[in-house]
Amino acid sequence: KAVLGREFGLPVTHITQTMCTAAFPGSVCRALRLGNGAIGTVLEIAASTGRGSPVYYQTLYIPPNRRRLVVSDTYNQKNALPQKTELLSAMK
């Protein structure tokens, strides 16, 4: 949001993020060196201006992993890191 405003003078006023678990397309599997049909998280991000004009769209393919994904307009490292007990239970 800040980068689009600073670099391009675009007043981004609305961001939509959708997330689902899905089988990745073959091209994504090859790029990420995953087996065909690998399943992971798909995160779609869209931004628009005050008049509703779209200015940004991105699709992220996130392979299975044990990391916690922070989806927020602010980032707090203390809250982003899983607690030790959460890590241990995830490894079982």
Side-chain angles (χ1 to χ4, degrees):
K1 190 173 178 177
V3 172
L4 291 172
R6 183 180 66 241
E7 298 295 323
F8 303 105
L10 297 170
V12 175
T13 59
H14 186 72
I15 295 177
T16 301
Q17 299 178 67
T18 60
M19 186 182 311
C20 69
T21 301
F24 292 167
S27 59
V28 172
C29 291
R30 286 188 296 280
L32 296 177
R33 297 183 181 151
L34 301 171
N36 274 344
I39 295 174
T41 302
V42 180
L43 175 60
E44 296 174 310
I45 306 165
S48 58
T49 65
R51 296 183 181 165
S53 300
V55 294
Y56 177 83
Y57 180 83
Q58 184 175 15
T59 302
L60 305 173
Y61 294 93
I62 305 163
N65 65 76
R66 294 179 185 218
R67 296 183 180 134
R68 178 178 290 185
L69 176 63
V70 177
V71 181
S72 175
D73 61 346
T74 60
Y75 178 74
N76 180 338
Q77 187 171 355
K78 178 184 173 195
N79 295 331
L81 300 175
Q83 299 300 313
K84 185 176 181 180
T85 54
E86 292 176 273
L87 288 173
L88 293 174
S89 58
M91 297 170 102
K92 291 181 181 178

